[in-house]
Coordinates of all heavy atoms in Angstrom, one line a residue:
N1 N 8.5 -0.7 6.5 CA 7.3 -1.3 7.0 C 6.6 -0.5 8.0 O 5.4 -0.5 8.1 CB 7.7 -2.7 7.6 CG 8.1 -3.7 6.5 OD1 7.7 -3.5 5.3 ND2 8.8 -4.7 6.9
R2 N 7.4 0.3 8.8 CA 6.8 1.2 9.8 C 6.0 2.3 9.1 O 4.8 2.6 9.5 CB 7.9 1.7 10.7 CG 7.5 2.8 11.6 CD 6.5 2.3 12.6 NE 6.0 3.4 13.5 CZ 5.8 3.3 14.7 NH1 6.1 2.2 15.4 NH2 5.4 4.3 15.4
E3 N 6.5 2.9 8.1 CA 5.8 3.9 7.3 C 4.6 3.4 6.7 O 3.5 4.1 6.7 CB 6.8 4.6 6.3 CG 7.9 5.4 7.0 CD 9.0 5.8 6.0 OE1 9.3 5.0 5.0 OE2 9.5 6.9 6.2
L4 N 4.7 2.2 6.1 CA 3.5 1.6 5.5 C 2.4 1.3 6.6 O 1.2 1.6 6.3 CB 3.9 0.3 4.8 CG 4.6 0.4 3.5 CD1 5.1 -1.0 3.0 CD2 3.8 1.1 2.4
D5 N 2.8 0.9 7.7 CA 1.9 0.6 8.8 C 1.2 1.9 9.2 O 0.0 1.9 9.5 CB 2.6 0.0 10.0 CG 1.7 -0.5 11.1 OD1 0.7 -1.2 10.7 OD2 1.9 -0.2 12.2
D6 N 2.0 3.0 9.3 CA 1.4 4.3 9.6 C 0.3 4.7 8.6 O -0.7 5.4 9.0 CB 2.4 5.4 9.7 CG 3.4 5.3 10.9 OD1 3.0 4.5 11.8 OD2 4.4 5.9 10.8
L7 N 0.4 4.2 7.4 CA -0.6 4.5 6.3 C -1.7 3.5 6.4 O -2.7 3.6 5.6 CB 0.1 4.5 5.0 CG 1.1 5.6 4.7 CD1 1.8 5.4 3.4 CD2 0.4 7.0 4.7
G8 N -1.6 2.4 7.2 CA -2.6 1.4 7.3 C -2.4 0.4 6.2 O -3.4 -0.3 5.8
L9 N -1.2 0.2 5.6 CA -0.9 -0.7 4.6 C 0.1 -1.7 5.0 O 0.9 -1.5 5.8 CB -0.4 0.0 3.3 CG -1.3 1.1 2.7 CD1 -0.5 1.8 1.6 CD2 -2.5 0.4 2.1
S10 N 0.0 -2.9 4.3 CA 1.1 -3.9 4.4 C 1.8 -4.0 3.1 O 1.2 -3.5 2.1 CB 0.6 -5.2 4.9 OG -0.2 -5.8 3.8
R11 N 3.0 -4.5 3.1 CA 3.7 -4.6 1.8 C 3.0 -5.4 0.8 O 3.1 -5.1 -0.4 CB 5.1 -5.2 2.1 CG 6.1 -4.9 1.1 CD 7.5 -5.0 1.6 NE 7.9 -3.9 2.5 CZ 8.2 -2.7 2.2 NH1 8.2 -2.3 0.9 NH2 8.6 -1.8 3.1
S12 N 2.2 -6.4 1.2 CA 1.5 -7.2 0.3 C 0.3 -6.5 -0.4 O -0.2 -7.0 -1.4 CB 0.9 -8.5 1.0 OG 0.0 -8.1 2.0
E13 N -0.1 -5.3 0.1 CA -1.2 -4.6 -0.5 C -0.7 -3.5 -1.5 O -1.5 -2.9 -2.1 CB -1.9 -3.8 0.6 CG -2.6 -4.8 1.6 CD -3.2 -4.0 2.7 OE1 -2.5 -3.4 3.5 OE2 -4.5 -4.0 2.8
I14 N 0.6 -3.4 -1.7 CA 1.1 -2.3 -2.5 C 0.6 -2.4 -4.0 O 0.1 -1.4 -4.5 CB 2.7 -2.3 -2.5 CG1 3.2 -1.8 -1.2 CG2 3.2 -1.5 -3.7 CD1 4.7 -1.9 -1.0
E15 N 0.6 -3.6 -4.6 CA 0.1 -3.7 -5.9 C -1.4 -3.5 -6.1 O -1.8 -2.8 -7.0 CB 0.5 -5.1 -6.5 CG 2.0 -5.2 -6.7 CD 2.4 -6.6 -7.4 OE1 1.5 -7.2 -7.9 OE2 3.6 -6.9 -7.4
F16 N -2.1 -3.9 -5.1 CA -3.6 -3.6 -5.1 C -3.8 -2.1 -5.0 O -4.6 -1.6 -5.8 CB -4.3 -4.4 -4.0 CG -5.7 -4.0 -3.8 CD1 -6.7 -4.5 -4.7 CD2 -6.1 -3.1 -2.8 CE1 -8.0 -4.1 -4.6 CE2 -7.5 -2.7 -2.7 CZ -8.4 -3.3 -3.6
V17 N -3.2 -1.5 -4.1 CA -3.4 0.0 -4.0 C -2.9 0.7 -5.3 O -3.6 1.6 -5.7 CB -2.6 0.5 -2.8 CG1 -2.5 2.0 -2.7 CG2 -3.1 0.0 -1.5
A18 N -1.8 0.3 -5.8 CA -1.3 0.9 -7.1 C -2.3 0.7 -8.2 O -2.6 1.6 -9.0 CB 0.0 0.3 -7.4
R19 N -2.9 -0.5 -8.3 CA -3.9 -0.7 -9.4 C -5.1 0.1 -9.2 O -5.6 0.7 -10.1 CB -4.3 -2.2 -9.4 CG -3.5 -3.0 -10.3 CD -4.0 -4.5 -10.5 NE -3.1 -5.4 -9.9 CZ -3.3 -6.0 -8.7 NH1 -4.4 -6.0 -8.1 NH2 -2.3 -6.8 -8.2
S20 N -5.5 0.3 -7.9 CA -6.7 1.1 -7.6 C -6.4 2.6 -8.0 O -7.2 3.3 -8.5 CB -7.1 1.0 -6.2 OG -7.4 -0.3 -5.9
H21 N -5.2 3.0 -7.6 CA -4.8 4.4 -7.9 C -4.7 4.7 -9.4 O -5.2 5.7 -9.9 CB -3.5 4.7 -7.3 CG -2.9 6.1 -7.6 ND1 -3.5 7.2 -7.1 CD2 -1.9 6.4 -8.4 CE1 -2.8 8.3 -7.6 NE2 -1.9 7.8 -8.4
A22 N -4.2 3.7 -10.2 CA -4.0 3.9 -11.6 C -5.3 3.9 -12.3 O -5.5 4.6 -13.3 CB -3.1 2.7 -12.2
A23 N -6.3 3.2 -11.8 CA -7.6 3.1 -12.4 C -8.4 4.4 -12.2 O -9.4 4.7 -12.9 CB -8.4 1.9 -11.9
A24 N -8.1 5.2 -11.2 CA -8.8 6.4 -10.8 C -8.6 7.5 -11.8 O -7.7 7.6 -12.5 CB -8.4 6.8 -9.4

């Protein structure tokens, strides 16, 4: 959670970020 926070992400955003990355 600390590493995700350093990236400006929360655990609940992982799937959204992954979908955005896959679409790129």
Side-chain angles (χ1 to χ4, degrees):
N1 288 340
R2 172 63 187 222
E3 291 168 326
L4 286 170
D5 189 49
D6 288 345
L7 295 173
L9 298 173
S10 67
R11 200 154 292 282
S12 64
E13 295 174 295
I14 290 175
E15 290 186 16
F16 172 77
V17 170
R19 268 188 248 110
S20 298
H21 174 71

